[in-house]
Amino acid sequence: MTPRPYACVDPACTDAAHGHPRPPSVAAVATSAKASLAHGSPVLIRGGRVITATDDYVADVLMRDGVIDAIGQHIAVGPDVAVVDASGLYVLPGGVDTHVHMENVIGPTITCDTFASGTKAAAFGGTTTVVDFALQTAVDSPLGAIERARRSADPQVNVDYSLHVIVTRVDDQVLQDVRHAMRHEGVTSFKMFMAYPGVMMADDAAIFRMLRQVGSEGGMVALHAENGTVIDLLIKEALAAGHTSPRYHALTRPAIMEGEATHRGIRLAELAEAPIYFVHVSSNQALKHIVAARDEGIPVFAETCPHYLLFDDSVYNNDDFATAKYVMTPPLRKPDDQQHLWRALRYDDLQVIATDHCPFCMKEGHLGYQLQKMRGQDDFSLIPNGAPGIETRLVSLFDIGVMRGKLSLNRFVELTSTTPAKLFGLFPRKGTIAVGSDADVVLFNPAASQTIRASELHSNCDYTLLEGRTLQGRVEKVFLRGQLIVDGQQWHGREGLGRFVPRGEVRAF
Ligand code: URP
Ligand code: ZN
Ligand code: ZN
């Protein structure tokens, strides 16, 4: 039996019991064909179904000077205001994706989306704010990392953005810089790795020091939780046994080592009396510790990613190199893990769905990118970890979550926009539709469907995990601070139109 969606998503439905009022008949409204949507004039979105994390109603939304100016019934406007008829469409807050990797240098290679291409893909997918990473290298400080990332991103970004700093080395100076970044640079979250020894991994004491410092200042440490040293040993043993194909990536990163690191991270956060956020949670081994900690009242937060909900480890049942497209960390898990992820998403043990968009091309040299997935042709441990997904996040979750009755519409918005904005200090500027919030608005058509093809997406990546899959729902129009940037397949945005958004304290409690 197909489960019935929590909220009715049929735009033609007239059953009042389904909880969505029909648009009132619109009277006495002046509109103008003169006001141009593409040129920054105020815009009235007329008669769409406004969905936030808590509300669901039909209204007009007036956007002016970059923010939402008014929400109401039958808003009358003059000829200077462009009017968009949104009947039958959802009016959603722009997506907030707090885990993306553009131009990230990882080992000897780089992710194949620039800030320009990756944020354009984000926009077409209905995401208007991303949080990327600034990597502290062996030689520079968190402040140097922020400066370097901003120098590259600021002129290129097509949507608004911020940065988490990846902290790989902790000493007194680093902690001072972290405080400065939080107080003066608008960077209030920091990512640390319990995996990748010798490259990114931080030891427990370093993580604990950061948790104490960042937590006491109202920020958030995000943890990549896997037991790096044990995994490294398993990798060496697999290679020594002649196991070189991509599927051994998954076999050497067992869920129990994600669980172990998650438990350790929780205990470190508990001791530090700090909130903690786990990125890319993939397994019930990790989840069960998160659930237990939340039940104990420890402020533990976590995200999962669409690929863990869309695919399972059956993709690794072969030795083909094509499997390298599923080489991401943590790897895909069992169908049983997926069921636990869905349960956790429903009951708020997982609060965010972010993409971990970390694209590497399958074809060496595509758009000039070198040392991409083919680097690991003869050794799975050299395959750069990660997969694309930024453009398909909302539509894939709408299809497999909302349409299949696993997520209500409000929960869909909460997981993809509102809570990520709250947890990372962007709310209420981002993450909702409210008077005074940035006018980042997506018009979403629940009745349309689309077949996903990498050739039609806007990432530089040469593949999508969803190739050929038909999904229900389509992003029709996207406004960034009131400016139309996406209109169907038409691009009206501009590199540099996106802005760096200084962030505030975590709002999670
Ligand atoms: O495979 C992944 N997730 N690559 C990106 C780096 C990370 O660990 O988030
Ligand atoms: Zn990670
Ligand atoms: Zn990542």
Side-chain angles (χ1 to χ4, degrees), residues 303-496:
E303 76 183 20
T304 191
C305 311
H307 41 260
Y308 299 119
L309 301 166
L310 285 156
F311 308 100
D312 61 51
D313 64 354
S314 58
V315 304
Y316 301 124
N317 287 343
N318 64 76
D319 282 310
D320 300 346
F321 189 73
T323 301
K325 60 177 185 272
Y326 298 104
V327 168
M328 73 281 282
T329 300
L332 302 171
R333 304 296 193 189
K334 307 222 165 292
D336 182 60
D337 290 296
Q338 274 180 348
Q339 297 315 314
H340 285 285
L341 295 175
W342 281 117
R343 178 186 48 77
L345 288 166
R346 281 168 84 133
Y347 298 121
D348 206 36
D349 287 315
L350 288 169
Q351 298 78 34
V352 173
I353 306 178
T355 56
D356 194 6
H357 177 81
C358 189
F360 297 99
C361 296
M362 285 295 287
K363 186 164 168 280
E364 191 66 1
H366 180 72
L367 300 177
Y369 284 98
Q370 305 291 335
L371 298 175
Q372 302 274 296
K373 294 282 187 183
M374 287 299 282
R375 176 165 186 259
Q377 206 177 5
D378 301 316
D379 174 349
F380 72 89
S381 72
L382 300 180
I383 301 170
N385 296 185
I390 202 165
E391 191 166 344
T392 50
R393 180 178 68 135
L394 293 187
V395 71
S396 64
L397 293 170
F398 179 74
D399 182 293
I400 63 167
V402 179
M403 290 307 293
R404 296 192 201 174
K406 291 192 163 89
L407 301 175
S408 70
L409 269 172
N410 298 117
R411 185 72 180 141
F412 167 68
V413 170
E414 192 169 31
L415 289 162
T416 56
S417 180
T418 313
T419 305
K422 286 182 177 173
L423 286 176
F424 291 103
L426 291 159
F427 186 86
R429 182 167 171 188
K430 306 292 186 187
T432 194
I433 293 184
V435 172
S437 291
D438 280 0
D440 299 341
V441 174
V442 174
L443 301 189
F444 189 89
N445 186 346
S449 64
Q450 59 184 304
T451 301
I452 305 297
R453 311 243 175 250
S455 58
E456 290 166 15
L457 298 178
H458 299 83
S459 162
N460 283 342
C461 196
D462 61 349
Y463 76 92
T464 161
L465 296 177
L466 290 162
E467 187 70 34
R469 190 145 165 176
T470 299
L471 298 172
Q472 186 73 24
R474 193 171 63 206
V475 170
E476 298 286 359
K477 285 185 170 49
V478 178
F479 296 87
L480 176 70
R481 283 179 273 101
Q483 290 210 41
L484 182 71
I485 57 172
V486 170
D487 191 1
Q489 278 307 304
Q490 300 260 38
W491 177 240
H492 295 285
R494 165 171 66 73
E495 289 175 21

Side-chain angles (χ1 to χ4, degrees), residues 99 101 106 191 193 196 224 280 327-330 356 358 385-386:
H99 189 162
H101 300 266
I106 298 184
K191 182 176 179 188
F193 284 83
Y196 308 126
H224 173 133
H280 50 45
V327 168
M328 73 281 282
T329 300
D356 194 6
C358 189
N385 296 185

